[in-house]
PDB file of all heavy atoms in Angstrom:
ATOM      1  N   LEU V 151      -2.433 -14.892  29.225  1.00  0.00           N
ATOM      2  CA  LEU V 151      -3.866 -14.842  28.949  1.00  0.00           C
ATOM      3  C   LEU V 151      -4.498 -16.177  29.338  1.00  0.00           C
ATOM      4  O   LEU V 151      -3.943 -17.240  29.049  1.00  0.00           O
ATOM      5  CB  LEU V 151      -4.127 -14.586  27.459  1.00  0.00           C
ATOM      6  CG  LEU V 151      -4.025 -13.153  26.950  1.00  0.00           C
ATOM      7  CD1 LEU V 151      -4.490 -13.082  25.500  1.00  0.00           C
ATOM      8  CD2 LEU V 151      -4.839 -12.214  27.800  1.00  0.00           C
ATOM      9  N   ASP V 152      -5.647 -16.114  29.991  1.00  0.00           N
ATOM     10  CA  ASP V 152      -6.410 -17.317  30.294  1.00  0.00           C
ATOM     11  C   ASP V 152      -7.247 -17.699  29.080  1.00  0.00           C
ATOM     12  O   ASP V 152      -7.637 -16.848  28.277  1.00  0.00           O
ATOM     13  CB  ASP V 152      -7.330 -17.089  31.497  1.00  0.00           C
ATOM     14  CG  ASP V 152      -6.550 -16.862  32.786  1.00  0.00           C
ATOM     15  OD1 ASP V 152      -5.458 -17.428  32.916  1.00  0.00           O
ATOM     16  OD2 ASP V 152      -7.047 -16.113  33.650  1.00  0.00           O
ATOM     17  N   PHE V 153      -7.549 -18.983  28.956  1.00  0.00           N
ATOM     18  CA  PHE V 153      -8.382 -19.463  27.862  1.00  0.00           C
ATOM     19  C   PHE V 153      -9.860 -19.220  28.156  1.00  0.00           C
ATOM     20  O   PHE V 153     -10.342 -19.493  29.261  1.00  0.00           O
ATOM     21  CB  PHE V 153      -8.178 -20.959  27.636  1.00  0.00           C
ATOM     22  CG  PHE V 153      -6.833 -21.323  27.072  1.00  0.00           C
ATOM     23  CD1 PHE V 153      -5.879 -21.946  27.860  1.00  0.00           C
ATOM     24  CD2 PHE V 153      -6.513 -21.036  25.755  1.00  0.00           C
ATOM     25  CE1 PHE V 153      -4.641 -22.288  27.351  1.00  0.00           C
ATOM     26  CE2 PHE V 153      -5.285 -21.366  25.236  1.00  0.00           C
ATOM     27  CZ  PHE V 153      -4.340 -21.992  26.036  1.00  0.00           C
ATOM     28  N   ALA V 154     -10.567 -18.719  27.162  1.00  0.00           N
ATOM     29  CA  ALA V 154     -12.026 -18.690  27.222  1.00  0.00           C
ATOM     30  C   ALA V 154     -12.557 -20.061  26.797  1.00  0.00           C
ATOM     31  O   ALA V 154     -11.827 -20.863  26.205  1.00  0.00           O
ATOM     32  CB  ALA V 154     -12.566 -17.605  26.296  1.00  0.00           C
ATOM     33  N   ASN V 155     -13.795 -20.340  27.093  1.00  0.00           N
ATOM     34  CA  ASN V 155     -14.467 -21.519  26.543  1.00  0.00           C
ATOM     35  C   ASN V 155     -15.033 -21.100  25.191  1.00  0.00           C
ATOM     36  O   ASN V 155     -16.075 -20.439  25.124  1.00  0.00           O
ATOM     37  CB  ASN V 155     -15.574 -22.000  27.469  1.00  0.00           C
ATOM     38  CG  ASN V 155     -16.271 -23.253  26.935  1.00  0.00           C
ATOM     39  OD1 ASN V 155     -16.030 -23.687  25.808  1.00  0.00           O
ATOM     40  ND2 ASN V 155     -17.143 -23.826  27.742  1.00  0.00           N
ATOM     41  N   SER V 156     -14.341 -21.448  24.117  1.00  0.00           N
ATOM     42  CA  SER V 156     -14.734 -20.970  22.789  1.00  0.00           C
ATOM     43  C   SER V 156     -16.075 -21.529  22.337  1.00  0.00           C
ATOM     44  O   SER V 156     -16.673 -21.017  21.385  1.00  0.00           O
ATOM     45  CB  SER V 156     -13.654 -21.288  21.759  1.00  0.00           C
ATOM     46  OG  SER V 156     -13.302 -22.658  21.775  1.00  0.00           O
ATOM     47  N   ASP V 157     -16.584 -22.559  23.005  1.00  0.00           N
ATOM     48  CA  ASP V 157     -17.917 -23.064  22.672  1.00  0.00           C
ATOM     49  C   ASP V 157     -19.012 -22.113  23.154  1.00  0.00           C
ATOM     50  O   ASP V 157     -20.178 -22.260  22.773  1.00  0.00           O
ATOM     51  CB  ASP V 157     -18.148 -24.441  23.296  1.00  0.00           C
ATOM     52  CG  ASP V 157     -17.391 -25.542  22.573  1.00  0.00           C
ATOM     53  OD1 ASP V 157     -16.951 -25.296  21.434  1.00  0.00           O
ATOM     54  OD2 ASP V 157     -17.231 -26.635  23.150  1.00  0.00           O
ATOM     55  N   GLU V 158     -18.651 -21.138  23.999  1.00  0.00           N
ATOM     56  CA  GLU V 158     -19.646 -20.227  24.549  1.00  0.00           C
ATOM     57  C   GLU V 158     -19.707 -18.886  23.811  1.00  0.00           C
ATOM     58  O   GLU V 158     -20.558 -18.063  24.116  1.00  0.00           O
ATOM     59  CB  GLU V 158     -19.379 -19.984  26.041  1.00  0.00           C
ATOM     60  CG  GLU V 158     -19.595 -21.226  26.899  1.00  0.00           C
ATOM     61  CD  GLU V 158     -19.345 -20.971  28.372  1.00  0.00           C
ATOM     62  OE1 GLU V 158     -18.747 -19.926  28.702  1.00  0.00           O
ATOM     63  OE2 GLU V 158     -19.751 -21.815  29.185  1.00  0.00           O
ATOM     64  N   VAL V 159     -18.807 -18.646  22.855  1.00  0.00           N
ATOM     65  CA  VAL V 159     -18.878 -17.382  22.115  1.00  0.00           C
ATOM     66  C   VAL V 159     -20.050 -17.450  21.137  1.00  0.00           C
ATOM     67  O   VAL V 159     -20.408 -18.521  20.641  1.00  0.00           O
ATOM     68  CB  VAL V 159     -17.559 -17.082  21.361  1.00  0.00           C
ATOM     69  CG1 VAL V 159     -16.399 -16.986  22.325  1.00  0.00           C
ATOM     70  CG2 VAL V 159     -17.284 -18.115  20.280  1.00  0.00           C
ATOM     71  N   LEU V 160     -20.619 -16.301  20.870  1.00  0.00           N
ATOM     72  CA  LEU V 160     -21.787 -16.222  19.999  1.00  0.00           C
ATOM     73  C   LEU V 160     -21.533 -15.235  18.865  1.00  0.00           C
ATOM     74  O   LEU V 160     -20.773 -14.276  19.018  1.00  0.00           O
ATOM     75  CB  LEU V 160     -23.022 -15.772  20.788  1.00  0.00           C
ATOM     76  CG  LEU V 160     -23.521 -16.691  21.914  1.00  0.00           C
ATOM     77  CD1 LEU V 160     -24.671 -16.034  22.644  1.00  0.00           C
ATOM     78  CD2 LEU V 160     -23.940 -18.048  21.357  1.00  0.00           C
ATOM     79  N   VAL V 161     -22.197 -15.472  17.754  1.00  0.00           N
ATOM     80  CA  VAL V 161     -22.136 -14.517  16.650  1.00  0.00           C
ATOM     81  C   VAL V 161     -22.691 -13.181  17.138  1.00  0.00           C
ATOM     82  O   VAL V 161     -23.770 -13.115  17.730  1.00  0.00           O
ATOM     83  CB  VAL V 161     -22.945 -15.027  15.436  1.00  0.00           C
ATOM     84  CG1 VAL V 161     -22.989 -13.957  14.344  1.00  0.00           C
ATOM     85  CG2 VAL V 161     -22.345 -16.313  14.901  1.00  0.00           C
ATOM     86  N   GLY V 162     -21.930 -12.105  16.912  1.00  0.00           N
ATOM     87  CA  GLY V 162     -22.303 -10.786  17.381  1.00  0.00           C
ATOM     88  C   GLY V 162     -21.530 -10.324  18.591  1.00  0.00           C
ATOM     89  O   GLY V 162     -21.543  -9.133  18.914  1.00  0.00           O
TER      90      GLY V 162
END
Side-chain angles (χ1 to χ4, degrees):
L151 280 187
D152 294 329
F153 290 108
N155 181 352
S156 53
D157 286 344
E158 293 181 346
V159 300
L160 297 176
V161 174

